[in-house]
Amino acid sequence: MHIRYDKASDQAIVTPCKRVAGMIVPPPDKSIAQRAALLAAIGDGTSRLVNYPSSADPLSTLRCLRQLGIQIEKDGNDLLVRGKGLDGFSPPAAPLDCGNSGTTMRLLSGLLAGQPFDSVLTGDASLRGRPMERVAGPLRAMGAKITLNDGCAPMRIARSERLRGMEYRLPMPSAQVKSCVLLAGLRAQGRTTVIETLPSRDHTERMLNLATQEQGGARHIFVTGNTPVPARARVVPNDFSSAAFFMVAAAIAPQGALLLKNVGLNPTRSALVGALEDMGARICISDLRESGGEPVGDMHITASALRGARVDGERIPLLIDEIPILAVAAARAEGRTEIRDARELRFKETDRISAMAENLRRLGASVEEFDDGLSVDGPAELHGERVSSHHDHRVAMAMAVAGLMARGETVIEDASCAGVSFPNYWQALASVAS
Ligand code: S3P
């Protein structure tokens, strides 16, 4: 057993392996699932959600929706969400706890602004430290009354008139901010246009079938206020971001041959494939098909010698959540890998630039940190060490893959946070490592 999770100490203990091989069915995509739940809640009638994840973030979304009076039931493995229409939320009796989930807080704020009742959105210590002005600002411009605590949650949303539609140019490539404004636009008067100059994940636009137009190098996304959202069944594909840890594990292992099943391959999410291929990884996609409006396929990854590459610019938002694991691949690649234009990483569940730089250095990698990214000179002879997850699921999971390639024992502290997106990660990784 090369990975062991010790519940009592909340540590994952990882020892080096030679082979990463077998098959993994990654958990369902939380980004897509959370949007599906929110849209079902404001839908007209009952929506069936198929393959809804049991990870902590999507459960936080359901908990908040229930507090807003939405009935959600299990039907076998599916969820039935009894949508109450655009104006169907009931006033919540207590603050809405979004846990660790930025997507829940930022997207839900778009639906709670301009309601005839007050609401408070809060979360765990990590979420209460993340910037919320980026959603409060545009919502206020639409007429919402929102107060923050020094730019952060708790977000207090006071009852107000219906919002007014507006044109909003995104100041940063954030799918959460984009989705927040689009969801607010659904309930607002008139038309709302969101303009993005750098593309980010487009699940919200896809699910709502929104009209888009390229204009002057930017993408305009339109939503007409007061358009009912039909109830419908939605199938959640498996999560590319969760698959990413296994892709890299198989690519950098001495021997690797892994099959990842039914993985969401939306191009606004899967730029890691191209980045790893640039580094020399061997990735083969088969059975590419469409499921629930999203491209889905199987991925086969075989081990190969990687070389360093530069990853920056427009590609960054399309692999933003995969940068911690990309940094691990970089530590095993020959030459320099430089990841730039990724300052947004400093505002995730933790500051992922500094957390990954610190952790990889502890294992012996040569890492330089920049304000907007990092560079790694490889290949490093990694050695096991004690590292902190910084309470960030993606840091914990990335460091486990690094540990599989490090001499001796790597201990990841506060490892249970992996459950934010991948409930049985430690067992899944152990099942393919030998
Ligand atoms: C997400 C968008 C991204 C991503 C996060 C999920 C989403 O955040 O990092 O994990 O579901 O829209 P930003 O919008 O802050 O870039």
Side-chain angles (χ1 to χ4, degrees):
M1 197 69 136
H2 294 272
I3 298 114
R4 190 167 58 79
Y5 172 67
D6 179 59
K7 195 161 185 235
S9 60
D10 193 16
Q11 292 177 346
I13 299 110
V14 185
T15 54
C17 75
K18 288 202 172 61
R19 223 171 119 75
V20 173
M23 190 194 69
I24 290 288
V25 182
D29 186 306
K30 75 182 173 83
S31 253
I32 295 176
Q34 290 173 295
R35 284 164 170 77
L38 293 169
L39 293 181
I42 57 165
D44 282 333
T46 299
S47 290
R48 177 178 293 274
L49 306 185
V50 180
N51 201 32
Y52 197 85
S54 59
S55 46
D57 274 5
L59 295 182
S60 294
T61 313
L62 299 184
R63 193 176 54 238
C64 291
L65 288 174
R66 287 193 171 106
Q67 268 183 269
L68 291 161
I70 302 299
Q71 265 185 38
I72 302 167
E73 296 144 37
K74 279 206 132 205
D75 184 35
N77 290 328
D78 302 348
L79 286 184
L80 296 178
V81 180
R82 312 271 180 212
K84 290 169 81 179
L86 285 177
D87 294 323
F89 285 160
S90 314
L96 298 154
D97 181 1
C98 304
N100 193 241
S101 174
T103 300
T104 302
M105 184 173 287
R106 293 195 177 121
L107 271 58
L108 197 51
S109 70
L111 292 177
L112 291 175
Q115 293 277 6
F117 55 78
D118 299 340
S119 54
V120 179
L121 289 162
T122 189
D124 69 9
S126 153
L127 187 54
R128 280 186 277 111
R130 295 179 65 187
M132 292 299 149
E133 190 53 43
R134 52 179 61 196
V135 286
L139 291 175
R140 282 191 205 108
M142 295 172 85
K145 295 188 179 141
I146 303 181
T147 46
L148 299 174
N149 178 18
D150 209 8
C152 297
M155 276 183 95
R156 292 176 196 283
I157 306 179
R159 77 192 68 184
S160 68
E161 298 290 300
R162 195 167 277 286
L163 302 184
R164 300 173 298 273
M166 69 159 179
E167 185 172 292
Y168 187 66
R169 185 174 284 270
L170 290 167
M172 77 285 283
S174 163
Q176 290 178 351
V177 177
K178 169 173 66 176
S179 301
C180 167
V181 177
L182 291 174
L183 292 180
L186 272 181
R187 297 189 58 261
Q189 283 168 9
R191 187 165 87 159
T192 296
T193 306
V194 176
I195 304 170
E196 64 176 3
T197 38
L198 281 178
S200 63
R201 64 189 68 190
D202 63 359
H203 307 305
T204 307
E205 302 93 289
R206 281 178 186 251
M207 284 183 182
L208 286 166
N209 241 322
L210 298 181
T212 62
Q213 208 175 69
E214 298 296 327
Q215 267 179 44
R219 188 161 163 265
H220 292 230
I221 308 156
F222 306 102
V223 59
T224 307
N226 238 337
T227 314
V229 177
R232 50 163 292 184
R234 294 191 191 272
V235 183
V236 182
N238 294 333
D239 184 21
F240 181 87
S241 299
S242 299
F245 301 99
F246 292 87
M247 291 168 68
V248 169
I252 65 177
Q255 298 162 37
L258 201 62
L259 170 62
L260 294 159
K261 290 289 288 178
N262 301 334
V263 184
L265 290 168
N266 181 319
T268 62
R269 288 289 295 284
S270 53
L272 179 74
V273 172
L276 288 175
E277 281 174 343
D278 286 354
M279 296 170 78
R282 289 194 286 163
I283 302 167
C284 175
I285 292 172
S286 62
D287 200 13
L288 189 59
R289 59 204 182 273
E290 180 138 329
S291 167
E294 293 276 340
V296 172
D298 297 341
M299 281 195 288
H300 306 251
I301 298 97
T302 324
S304 57
L306 299 190
R307 52 183 181 272
R310 189 175 169 95
V311 184
D312 60 6
E314 285 210 7
R315 230 170 3 164
I316 292 295
L318 314 180
L319 49 66
I320 189 75
D321 288 346
E322 287 65 70
I323 292 176
I325 190 63
L326 179 62
V328 173
R332 299 294 298 150
E334 174 85 41
R336 169 165 293 206
T337 298
E338 192 158 320
I339 301 165
R340 300 301 289 258
D341 305 319
R343 191 158 188 279
E344 273 293 308
L345 281 183
R346 297 207 182 268
F347 310 109
K348 299 297 178 188
E349 285 81 332
T350 188
D351 174 343
R352 287 183 176 157
I353 296 178
S354 99
M356 288 309 296
E358 177 198 321
N359 282 349
L360 286 174
R361 275 190 200 126
R362 275 177 166 268
L363 265 58
S366 160
V367 184
E368 191 179 343
E369 188 178 329
F370 308 107
D371 182 47
D372 68 340
L374 38 81
S375 73
V376 185
D377 285 296
E381 278 304 319
L382 300 178
H383 54 78
E385 252 299 348
R386 183 169 278 277
V387 294
S388 166
S389 69
H390 295 257
H391 301 283
D392 183 318
H393 54 132
R394 301 202 197 281
V395 172
M397 293 190 278
M399 290 316 296
V401 174
L404 284 178
M405 309 303 148
R407 223 176 339 106
E409 194 175 87
T410 301
V411 177
I412 299 149
E413 294 170 347
D414 299 315
S416 60
C417 59
V420 157
S421 58
F422 202 144
N424 63 347
Y425 180 71
W426 308 109
Q427 296 93 308
L429 193 59
S431 76
V432 291
S434 59

